[in-house]
Amino acid sequence: MFLSYEQLTTQQLIPIPQLSITNLPVRNGQLDWKGTFRNGKKEGEWVWYWDNGQLEGKGTFRNDKKEGLWKSYDKNGEVNSKYAGFYKNGKKVSD
């Protein structure tokens, strides 16, 4: 089964067991994000990039919820403290 760009970039993700997506070039040929779905949920390390190729954010998902240290940056590479911090079971618990 092949997934269209629209299917992958909406919140209506198709649950496919063990689907791993690691190179999805979009937005001017730049990598948009990379991560793994397990049983239709985000799992493990995920990384997002701005359309200029700069790192936007990265962190770990456990059972589709943010877990552990998350880093977030604006388009100029400056830390975005609104989203950066430590997460437990999907909730931000500290900066």
Side-chain angles (χ1 to χ4, degrees), residues 20-48:
S20 177
I21 300 174
T22 55
N23 288 313
L24 184 64
V26 294
R27 296 190 297 188
N28 300 322
Q30 296 290 330
L31 183 64
D32 188 8
W33 55 268
K34 61 182 176 178
T36 301
F37 290 95
R38 188 166 289 134
N39 297 320
K41 297 179 180 181
K42 294 180 189 101
E43 189 71 34
E45 185 177 347
W46 276 68
V47 181
W48 284 267

Side-chain angles (χ1 to χ4, degrees), residues 77-90:
E78 300 294 322
V79 173
N80 180 347
S81 59
K82 181 177 179 182
Y83 300 106
F86 192 81
Y87 287 78
K88 179 104 176 134
N89 203 26

Side-chain angles (χ1 to χ4, degrees), residues 46-50 52-58 71-78:
W46 276 68
V47 181
W48 284 267
Y49 299 93
W50 289 105
N52 64 5
Q54 292 282 347
L55 180 63
E56 181 177 355
K58 65 181 178 176
K71 296 182 179 183
S72 180
Y73 306 93
D74 64 21
K75 285 189 173 188
N76 298 317
E78 300 294 322

